[in-house]
Amino acid sequence: MTGERRGVLWTSPFQEFFRTEAAGGALLVVCACAALALANSPWADVYQSLWRTRLMLSVGSGHAIDLDLHQWINDGLMAVFFLLVGLEIKREVRAGELASPRQATLPIAAALGGMLLPALTYSLTNGGGLASRGWAIPTATDIAFALGVLSLIAPNAPRGLKIFLAALAIVDDMGAVLMIAVFYTREIAWHPLGVAALILVALATLNRLRIRSLWPYLLLGLGLWFFVHESGVHATVAGVLLALTIPTRTRINAEEFSARARGLLDHFDHTETGDLLVLTSRGQQDAIVGLERASEAVTAPLLRLEHALHAFSAYIVMPLFAFSNAGVALGGGAAHGDVTLAVFLGLAAGKPVGITVASFAAVRLRLASLPEGVTWTLLHGAAWLGGIGFTMSLFIAGLAFQGSDLLDSAKLGIFGGSVVAAVVGAVVIHRSTRRRAAA
């Protein structure tokens, strides 16, 4: 996963992203299993009561949020996850795998197929009534789990396959954000929403004024989160909106950085005092400070924030979300088997078939082409991995069935469908990569 450039080990942003998501996926498995074990143990009541612990945050007079611990995780911490999702979307659209129309066509087509067919499958099999609100549950792909499984079973898989799966999941996230904002919003309170709109205008103004410091954006982002939450729109949408205002411009370009860095490194070498201790060389200290400033000037604020949030999201936010949401008493959803079956079929049938068929159609119509080194068998295996809905599916299920006993039924379908999709995808990709290696 690493290469060598001018004698120095380096790691590309995508490789770092892939490693973080893969490791985070393994931690998610551990937390989900722990939650399931506790929810079906003698300590189940303690586990459930923990998340009902209330915590009130008050700012001045008349501005307070009183939520239980479960809501703070789902509405608060998950806003950080959605901020990261928004940053990834913006990066990919501006300068990544979604920047070129031809590059973007295949994952976009695959993601659309992987959302439409699962939604249709669920709608045809859910039993009707309140259950119909869950149509979006099987449309999601868990990027951490999907990349984690791919990394585990095929670490040497073609880079194009990894990029395809990551880009598909990111487009899938775009769809999830839109569905949450449009279909899972409570009754809107227009005054807070108006204040949120003004804050969004202020954030966009900071961007137009070329303010590169992240603190003004993050401070206004807290206000944006509060007023979006108070408006009735799900608070995590604020994370995506904030991400869209984070600047991508840099003070200097790559050529200017290279020239400045080479000059500073020459100065660093020439001011060596002979003892190899930077502490004794004022010139070397100045060169290091200059390199830090040059690095900051050539790094877009979006990349700095994305890098800072990756580990926090992968190792804190998502594991906590999994631990607080994955605890379901097995057998508790038996009374609503239609919902369990509908979610299961959406993830373990609608998702892989939808992704594969849409991808095939895009290639046959010459709108896109298969990534280098990727066969149809490998792509079909990745389509199965796209059926691992876990995190996003649990999140949407919570919005669709909050306060209803249908939620446990949906969770059972999510677990079953995600496991089957992961196992089948792993087998297909493992066999294909093994045949390629033997050829």
Side-chain angles (χ1 to χ4, degrees):
M1 296 295 289
T2 56
E4 190 169 326
R5 182 179 291 173
R6 297 187 183 278
V8 180
L9 291 177
W10 61 280
T11 304
S12 76
F14 176 77
Q15 290 167 337
E16 182 178 350
F17 166 81
F18 184 80
R19 267 210 313 269
T20 304
E21 295 294 338
L27 185 57
L28 275 178
V29 173
V30 173
C31 290
C33 290
L36 275 173
L38 284 171
N40 292 275
S41 74
W43 298 282
D45 289 340
V46 176
Y47 169 82
Q48 298 295 348
S49 63
L50 170 65
W51 308 118
R52 291 193 291 269
T53 303
R54 300 203 71 81
L55 179 64
M56 184 174 72
L57 180 64
S58 178
V59 181
S61 59
H63 295 288
I65 301 181
D66 185 10
L67 304 173
D68 60 35
L69 196 55
H70 184 264
Q71 290 170 322
W72 276 113
I73 292 172
N74 283 20
D75 293 7
L77 280 182
M78 283 299 283
V80 177
F81 168 75
F82 277 87
L83 170 58
L84 182 60
V85 167
L87 294 171
E88 290 166 352
I89 291 171
K90 185 172 182 178
R91 169 173 52 79
E92 291 298 321
V93 170
R94 291 294 297 271
E97 297 304 316
L98 304 179
S100 160
R102 187 161 183 84
Q103 279 182 306
T105 299
L106 186 62
I108 289 175
L112 289 175
M115 287 186 281
L116 293 175
L117 191 57
L120 179 61
T121 301
Y122 181 96
S123 297
L124 293 174
T125 55
N126 68 81
L130 178 61
S132 61
R133 277 183 54 82
W135 61 271
I137 296 171
T139 64
T141 294
D142 189 310
I143 188 170
F145 264 148
L147 292 180
V149 173
L150 181 58
S151 175
L152 181 66
I153 53 110
N156 297 319
R159 185 171 184 268
L161 184 69
K162 300 172 183 178
I163 292 175
F164 167 77
L165 184 57
L168 181 154
I170 288 172
V171 176
D172 201 293
D173 284 341
M174 293 186 201
V177 170
L178 289 174
M179 286 185 284
I180 290 168
V182 175
F183 298 105
Y184 295 102
T185 291
R186 306 189 305 269
E187 184 178 350
I188 293 177
W190 292 103
H191 176 69
L193 189 62
V195 177
L198 290 176
I199 294 175
L200 190 60
V201 170
L203 285 163
T205 302
L206 289 178
N207 187 310
R208 294 289 295 176
L209 293 175
R210 299 179 180 268
I211 304 298
R212 288 172 39 85
S213 173
L214 288 171
W215 287 112
Y217 294 94
L218 297 179
L219 289 174
L220 284 174
L222 287 174
L224 180 66
W225 177 87
F226 175 82
F227 285 104
V228 169
H229 179 275
E230 294 298 287
S231 74
V233 177
H234 199 273
T236 52
V237 174
V240 179
L241 295 175
L242 173 60
L244 299 180
T245 68
I246 303 298
T248 58
R249 292 183 293 268
T250 62
R251 287 200 185 99
I252 61 176
N253 60 30
E255 184 179 17
E256 293 170 318
F257 172 77
S258 180
R260 188 178 300 184
R262 291 176 192 280
L264 288 166
L265 286 173
D266 287 341
H267 182 68
F268 183 90
D269 293 337
H270 293 153
T271 53
E272 168 60 45
T273 57
D275 56 9
L276 301 180
L277 295 175
V278 175
L279 188 64
T280 63
S281 173
R282 181 66 182 177
Q284 288 185 329
Q285 295 168 31
D286 291 340
I288 291 173
V289 172
L291 282 170
E292 289 176 346
R293 290 175 177 169
S295 296
E296 192 277 334
V298 78
T299 306
L302 181 142
L303 291 179
R304 286 192 281 124
L305 183 56
E306 187 179 349
H307 180 77
L309 291 178
H310 247 139
F312 179 70
S313 176
Y315 303 129
I316 302 294
V317 175
M318 293 179 71
L320 271 176
F321 173 83
F323 188 60
S324 64
N325 284 271
V328 55
L330 297 178
H336 304 286
D338 286 344
V339 170
T340 301
L341 179 62
V343 173
F344 177 88
L345 290 176
L347 290 172
K351 198 77 174 174
V353 173
I355 291 172
T356 303
V357 170
S359 299
F360 183 77
V363 173
R364 289 286 292 185
L365 293 172
R366 299 185 179 180
L367 300 174
S369 56
L370 284 176
E372 183 178 355
V374 176
T375 63
W376 280 112
T377 302
L378 282 174
L379 186 139
H380 183 57
W384 276 97
L385 296 186
I388 306 174
F390 197 70
T391 303
M392 290 299 290
S393 290
L394 284 175
F395 190 81
I396 295 173
L399 298 178
F401 300 135
Q402 186 174 14
S404 166
D405 54 0
L406 290 175
L407 180 57
D408 280 354
S409 301
K411 287 181 178 180
L412 289 176
I414 291 167
F415 296 149
S418 295
V419 169
V420 169
V423 170
V424 175
V427 170
V428 171
I429 291 175
H430 179 68
R431 286 182 175 178
S432 180
T433 53
R434 189 171 59 181
R435 284 197 300 267
R436 284 166 56 90

